[in-house]
Amino acid sequence: MRLTRRLATVILVCSLALGSVFAQGSPEWALRGVKAYQEGRLELSRMYFQRAMEDAVLRGMDEWLVKAALNLIDLELESHDIAAALLILDKTPRSSHPELEALLLWKKAQILHAQKRVNEAAFVCDSALAVLPSGHAARPALEADRIRIAISRGTSPEWSPLLKNFIKKHGKKERILQRSLRATAAMQMGAFKEAQELWSLLVEDFRGQGRLSQVAASLNKLAVCRLALGDSLAALEENNKAVGIYRELGLLVPALTAQALKLLIEKDTVLLAKSRREMDLVSLGSTGFDLQDVLDEYAQILSARPPLR
């Protein structure tokens, strides 16, 4: 649900740092990983980034290792595999390079946020912001994640000035990040009509960039808005599209998370019972998918909806 972000996961997310930050300084395996990611071939991308890490260890190149690890953590966050992301982060050596250390702190903040350790996530994200130079390419996405963390606390006095400052500071340069933050804030406040319009725009934004996982995440959020506004049929249609994209990308847990929304949409008790049994069986495995936790999060969002007329 969160992301980011990306998050999470990642998106998140809306906040992946693949490609743009490290494409020029990474070894060949990492460059192949970036290319595979951009093509939507996430498993192949994961393999390339793992090879990049192995190559960095063999060569004793800590900077290469950190860069490959950051990209691999992003992939695991996008797959909603928080345990795998945390394991990679724990095994990655700290960097003496301030920018790389700031980005490692950012990944830690994203993981903490995904674990719903919101206060810790805010503290670590602030630490990353204090280190990362103001002109760094990743800073707007890092600032956006800090606002998402604030929004998840649910206190408008905290995040409202941050959001206004972000929009004023970055203007039209970060249009997609702005829309994502505004949509997230609107859902938090129960302004589902506004959020619906923004998520619809974001579906097209991400589709134009070829970021299919973000298209799916936006469709899922759009479905929640449709449901909150009383249009169950449209909600089901949008959500089915999200599930289909996630499955095509091989993202099992995000697909199951989106599919769980059907339990709040469908009226056929037989189909609902079958879907719940299937998802309960999956949640018994080591996928990181917790059906009840997902349903509780959907319910929390929908609790902000206005009464239907």
Side-chain angles (χ1 to χ4, degrees), residues 185-235:
M187 290 183 78
Q188 179 69 34
M189 296 185 296
F192 289 103
K193 186 174 182 180
E194 178 187 354
Q196 174 182 266
E197 294 171 354
L198 289 165
W199 289 121
S200 295
L201 290 171
L202 285 161
V203 168
E204 299 308 316
D205 288 336
F206 290 128
R207 185 174 284 127
Q209 292 185 338
R211 298 173 64 185
L212 295 181
S213 64
Q214 296 301 319
V215 171
S218 299
L219 284 167
N220 176 239
K221 298 292 198 311
L222 180 57
V224 173
C225 293
R226 303 264 201 231
L227 181 59
L229 293 170
D231 194 343
S232 297
L233 289 177

Side-chain angles (χ1 to χ4, degrees), residues 33 53 75 98 103 114 124-125 154 171 179 209 217 232 265 286 292 303 309:
M53 289 183 68
L75 276 179
L103 294 172
V124 174
C125 199
R179 282 180 176 168
Q209 292 185 338
S232 297
I265 301 173
S286 57
Q292 191 56 55
S303 67
R309 296 180 181 178

Side-chain angles (χ1 to χ4, degrees), residues 11 16-17 49 52 55 70 94 115 158 241 297:
I11 226 148
L16 287 178
F49 287 134
D55 183 63
L70 287 164
R94 303 301 82 164
Q115 294 174 326
E158 178 185 0
K241 292 177 186 176
E297 191 159 354

Side-chain angles (χ1 to χ4, degrees), residues 122-151:
F123 176 81
V124 174
C125 199
D126 286 338
S127 299
L129 284 167
V131 177
L132 195 66
S134 59
H136 195 280
R139 190 171 180 93
L142 175 55
E143 292 177 1
D145 265 0
R146 179 62 182 89
I147 297 170
R148 288 191 188 92
I149 292 170
I151 291 172

Side-chain angles (χ1 to χ4, degrees), residues 10 67 78 83 112 180 207 212 214 274:
V10 174
K67 291 176 179 180
E78 187 164 6
L112 289 167
S180 176
R207 185 174 284 127
L212 295 181
Q214 296 301 319
K274 182 177 182 293

Side-chain angles (χ1 to χ4, degrees), residues 29-30 32-33 36 43-53:
W29 287 116
R32 292 183 183 182
E43 285 303 318
L44 182 62
S45 180
R46 179 180 284 105
M47 183 192 76
Y48 283 142
F49 287 134
Q50 288 171 340
R51 289 292 297 270
M53 289 183 68

